[in-house]
Amino acid sequence: MIALLKRDLVLATRAGGGFGLAVAFFLILCALVPFGVGPQSSTLRPVAPGILWIGALLSCLLSLDRIVALDHEDGSLDLLATAPIPLEGVVAIKALAHWLTTAVPLIIAAPLFGVLLQLPPAAMPMLVASLTIGTPALSVLGAFGAAVTVGLRRGGLLLSLLVLPLYIPTLIFGTEAIRRSAEGGQAGVALMLLAGISAAVLALVPFAAAAALRINLR
């Protein structure tokens, strides 16, 4: 499994569309928002939590089709299905590789983007914490969508339509945690609910994704 993780990290770096593209998209989105809604702090601060989470969500969405599609195209997926590693473990490793190459750079860069959107300094730790806790669910749900749509024509579009509704609970509680922290309120409940969603997704979704892969490989 460690070898598979290293392989996916190398492929993500060489094939393009990894952390560089995600961070660039996130930066462009955060830079364009002040032009659209106005540069005033009173205008930007109320929408900053939602914009930051939407930016992270869409940035993660950019590379989801690469989680399984490349292996399906070159036949590696058939070999992985017959390998001693459980297919559920393969899905989990691929989701981890996606999180490391896409979400982790976004988490590191998020405070800078928060400054662009006039997010209060007191909310910066909660921004990093909510993204750290919530983005694993985005990667795992993305792996499930990639498993369902693998081998389909225009699978990228279908993947987006399938995954985006599943992202909504994570988006709601991640945004709410930052908003409450920015307003000086208690964000613990929202953060715990976000952690609960991520824990449930990490525990259950790899099995569903593995079942979808088995069906598509028949």
Side-chain angles (χ1 to χ4, degrees):
M1 293 180 72
I2 294 175
L4 178 60
L5 176 61
K6 291 181 179 179
R7 170 184 175 274
D8 282 0
L9 292 176
V10 171
L11 288 177
T13 304
R14 292 180 178 177
F19 68 92
L21 179 59
V23 173
F25 179 84
F26 202 175
L27 174 61
I28 292 171
L29 177 64
C30 293
L32 289 178
V33 168
F35 292 101
V37 303
Q40 298 82 6
S41 298
S42 59
T43 303
L44 286 175
R45 285 186 177 180
V47 301
I51 295 298
L52 289 167
W53 253 99
I54 290 174
L57 186 152
L58 294 178
S59 298
C60 290
L61 192 66
L62 289 176
S63 57
L64 289 182
D65 57 340
R66 295 171 49 253
I67 294 180
V68 183
L70 295 178
D71 293 323
H72 182 265
E73 291 173 359
D74 62 12
S76 300
L77 190 59
D78 295 322
L79 297 177
L80 291 173
T82 59
I85 307 174
L87 203 52
E88 292 80 3
V90 172
V91 172
I93 288 296
K94 288 188 170 296
L96 175 59
H98 177 269
W99 184 77
L100 290 174
T101 56
T102 303
V104 170
L106 295 178
I107 294 170
I108 295 173
L112 173 61
F113 301 148
V115 173
L116 294 176
L117 295 177
Q118 304 291 329
L119 187 70
M124 294 297 182
M126 185 56 63
L127 169 63
V128 175
S130 65
L131 289 175
T132 302
I133 294 174
T135 49
L138 302 183
S139 293
V140 176
L141 288 172
F144 168 71
V148 172
T149 59
V150 64
L152 298 179
R153 291 184 177 180
R154 298 182 180 180
L157 177 60
L158 294 175
L159 174 59
S160 301
L161 294 176
L162 174 65
V163 169
L164 280 175
L166 302 178
Y167 280 176
I168 291 176
T170 302
L171 173 65
I172 291 173
F173 292 112
T175 302
E176 184 66 13
I178 302 173
R179 185 187 65 79
R180 292 192 179 188
S181 180
E183 294 176 353
Q186 297 294 327
V189 175
L191 200 63
M192 289 177 64
L193 289 171
L194 183 63
I197 292 173
S198 294
V201 168
L202 292 174
L204 300 176
V205 173
F207 295 95
L213 282 178
R214 292 188 182 98
I215 293 173
N216 287 329
L217 290 174
R218 288 178 182 174

